[in-house]
Amino acid sequence: MSTTSLPAPDRSPRLREALLAAAFTADGLLDLLGAPAYAALARSETVPALRATHGDSPLDTLVRLFLLQRPVPYERARAALPLDECVEDGWVIRAGEEVRAAVDVRPYGGPEGQDWFIVSDLGCAVGGAGGIGSHEEGVVLGVGGASSTLAGITVRTPVASALDLGTGSGIQALHAAQHAIRVTATDLNPRALAFARLTLALSGAAPADLREGSLFEPVGTETYDLIVSNPPFVISPGARLAYRDGGMGGDDLCRTLVQQAGDRLNEGGYAHFLANWQHVEGEEWQDRLRSWVPRDCDAWVVQREVQDVTQYAELWLRDSGDHRTDPAEYAARYDAWLDEFEVRKTKGVGFGWITLRKSAAAADGNPSVVIEEWPHPVEQPLGAAVEAHFARQDYLRTHDDAALLADHFTLAPEVMQEQVGLPGAEDPEHVVLRQNRGMRRATKVDAVGAGFAGVCDGTLPAGRILDAIAQLMNEDPVLLRDRTPQAIRLLVEEGFLDPVGEAG
């Protein structure tokens, strides 16, 4: 596929004005379609949306044209769009008295209520009229769950420079353009770079520095304050589809990205990746991921899901539409996936997030590397929670037990206490502290831990609080001071307690 058939971005502001005037936005779609049809469209079910757009308003026309990818009458298209320009620039195609879309244009709500538009190939928007399936090599997808997840976990502090590696339709570059002075976006697929340019232009964002090439090759030795990548992380027997298959064996592409990211980060900079990794016989998956972390970086790795090799193969065979092919061909491809896993002694595949932070402490031999499994629901966006995680790690590695007991703490916002036990029992079997925000963690605590957390309001140092608890519980205060810092450390590490320093 060449990029010559894609629209020209020069007059995108005129098209953007028309889309906004028609309320062709995320909120406008919800108002027009209603929640059930809107949700059905996200599942690639178009019938409810078709039933809801029988009117002749500009919004009805635009939904049918760009989202449902149905031809619309010429006069209706002219009432909704600067049509001559759109035909000339290649956004739509006129065929007699009908007009059809040349690309998928999808409203997307930004994190601060911005009205953005993601441009991708027809039938390749995740949750679009065509859904995912039977793609040609080189096609460019729209925004899916993975893209939204990566955008949500990214730390959004203002930075001078950001790199979106493997930009696709440009959604990560679009987010980065809101808080980075300079955005560089790369992709091996020149068609993806063309779509990213359209997404940025139609969304009213500043243009990015677009570079063609693989992995970090297009940026050489340049360094950045932020790196984000939703790479083609699928572990597959070959490289049929550029948007998902990295072309390296096993999880080598994800490993290479992570290992090379440290050299491209400025001090204090963050790198965020979505990744798949192999679970190999005779090897702990945590050790595998730990070996990926650059020596000068702290890391937080969260495994969100694990699939056995049959589930994984079936997922991606369906993604590419192979289950709709000849049964013998499908079986042969399925067999090839299992052969690949058998050769590599892979028993399962993990999916999750990897965040790196360039750190002087790590470079000095004292890194913080946290690798955990957390399949439970979380509250996006998590960027602030990710930043807070690394701040807590900095605090903990510079405070020994004595410093911990001398410090003041507050209970984090929206932490609730649950008492678990048999109905009617005088005392609970155990107490659980539960977060209602961010990672939504829960942790068991004993009576001392629950009492300590409950009175942490920043006014008293931890040691004084423990002395008061020891008196109430008739315990030796020295022994209590000796055995409690580890529990306090865990509550700080998991975000239940926030250190506030010596000032109450």
Side-chain angles (χ1 to χ4, degrees):
M1 291 185 173
S2 71
T3 59
T4 56
S5 60
L6 295 182
D10 299 345
R11 290 186 284 193
S12 295
R14 285 283 308 277
L15 175 55
R16 175 176 171 80
E17 289 174 7
L19 299 180
L20 294 178
F24 187 64
T25 63
D27 289 341
L29 292 183
L30 184 59
D31 290 341
L32 174 68
L33 303 178
Y38 189 82
L41 189 61
R43 301 190 301 270
S44 302
E45 296 291 348
T46 60
V47 172
L50 282 166
R51 291 170 61 89
T53 53
H54 283 307
D56 58 2
S57 73
L59 181 55
D60 287 288
T61 300
L62 294 174
V63 171
R64 294 179 73 87
L65 181 65
F66 287 121
L67 264 65
L68 304 180
Q69 290 152 23
R70 299 294 198 275
V72 299
Y74 174 82
E75 290 300 327
R76 285 182 58 181
R78 192 172 68 170
L81 295 167
L83 191 55
D84 291 341
E85 289 181 9
C86 288
V87 171
E88 183 179 346
D89 292 345
W91 292 94
V92 297
I93 298 167
R94 181 178 181 181
E97 292 304 308
E98 288 188 330
V99 173
R100 59 182 176 86
V103 292
D104 186 294
V105 177
R106 191 155 302 263
Y108 182 89
E112 296 178 1
Q114 302 100 322
D115 291 315
W116 292 342
F117 300 95
I118 311 303
V119 189
S120 64
D121 271 310
L122 288 173
C124 295
V126 179
I132 298 298
S134 195
H135 293 323
E136 297 178 54
E137 172 66 20
V139 298
V140 178
L141 304 189
V143 178
S147 301
S148 298
T149 294
L150 179 60
I153 66 171
T154 300
V155 173
R156 296 296 176 192
T157 52
V159 294
S161 58
L163 170 64
D164 175 14
L165 194 151
T167 188
S169 57
I171 180 59
Q172 307 304 329
L174 180 55
H175 276 279
Q178 311 309 304
H179 63 101
I181 296 172
R182 175 174 60 89
V183 177
T184 301
T186 71
D187 207 289
L188 184 62
N189 181 3
R191 190 174 179 82
L193 297 176
F195 272 116
R197 182 179 290 108
L198 294 173
T199 290
L200 291 166
L202 195 57
S203 298
D209 178 4
L210 302 173
R211 304 186 192 181
E212 182 180 344
S214 177
L215 303 180
F216 288 105
E217 291 172 3
V219 301
T221 59
E222 295 176 31
T223 58
Y224 298 86
D225 302 311
L226 173 68
I227 298 172
V228 293
S229 183
N230 177 17
F233 53 66
V234 176
I235 300 170
S236 58
R240 289 173 57 207
L241 301 172
Y243 73 88
R244 70 169 203 193
D245 302 323
M248 294 186 183
D251 52 19
D252 283 355
L253 183 136
C254 292
R255 174 185 56 78
T256 301
L257 272 178
V258 174
Q259 288 181 336
Q260 294 182 355
D263 292 337
R264 272 76 177 188
L265 278 176
N266 295 325
E267 180 66 25
Y270 288 92
H272 301 275
F273 304 96
L274 298 187
N276 278 181
W277 45 81
Q278 295 164 231
H279 284 228
V280 178
E281 293 178 14
E283 175 188 70
E284 295 294 331
W285 69 270
Q286 295 93 335
D287 292 339
R288 186 178 193 85
L289 272 295
R290 192 171 285 108
S291 73
W292 293 8
V293 178
R295 63 168 185 80
D296 54 359
C297 289
D298 298 322
W300 185 18
V301 180
V302 181
Q303 180 168 271
R304 295 290 288 157
E305 183 179 3
V306 182
Q307 291 184 315
D308 67 45
V309 293
T310 59
Q311 292 173 313
Y312 190 79
E314 291 162 12
L315 169 68
W316 294 108
L317 287 167
R318 287 190 174 91
D319 167 82
S320 56
D322 289 317
H323 61 303
R324 302 191 188 101
T325 63
D326 175 73
E329 184 179 350
Y330 172 77
R333 284 185 170 165
Y334 196 154
D335 206 38
W337 282 71
L338 297 185
D339 282 345
E340 175 79 3
F341 289 132
E342 186 175 343
V343 167
R344 296 183 177 277
K345 297 183 178 180
T346 302
K347 59 184 180 179
V349 178
F351 168 80
W353 322 322
I354 299 174
T355 297
L356 305 177
R357 185 188 60 166
K358 189 74 166 280
S359 160
D364 289 340
N366 187 23
S368 166
V369 178
V370 176
I371 300 175
E372 62 176 320
E373 187 164 15
W374 190 254
H376 312 293
V378 299
E379 182 189 52
Q380 286 275 32
L382 279 168
V386 172
E387 187 177 16
H389 165 88
F390 286 96
R392 292 194 299 268
Q393 297 303 314
D394 286 342
Y395 173 85
L396 289 171
R397 65 183 162 194
T398 57
H399 286 69
D400 60 16
D401 287 354
L404 214 62
L405 292 175
D407 216 340
H408 299 236
F409 300 89
T410 58
L411 189 65
E414 296 198 41
V415 172
M416 305 298 293
Q417 176 178 303
E418 300 175 1
Q419 298 191 147
V420 180
L422 294 173
E426 184 175 344
D427 296 313
E429 293 177 13
H430 57 264
V431 175
V432 173
L433 299 182
R434 187 178 301 277
Q435 301 167 352
N436 288 322
R437 304 294 298 273
M439 292 292 287
R440 293 181 174 173
R441 296 187 187 276
T443 188
K444 289 183 183 180
V445 292
D446 60 14
V448 173
F452 180 85
V455 298
C456 277
D457 60 3
T459 58
L460 291 174
R464 290 273 302 278
I465 294 174
L466 290 178
D467 291 344
I469 291 174
Q471 186 174 6
L472 286 172
M473 301 181 69
N474 294 318
E475 290 203 29
D476 185 330
V478 175
L479 293 178
L480 195 61
R481 278 176 173 253
D482 283 345
R483 68 178 172 86
T484 305
Q486 186 57 40
I488 297 174
R489 194 172 292 276
L490 180 63
L491 291 175
V492 172
E493 182 175 0
E494 295 192 342
F496 290 94
L497 294 177
D498 294 326
V500 295
E502 297 182 1

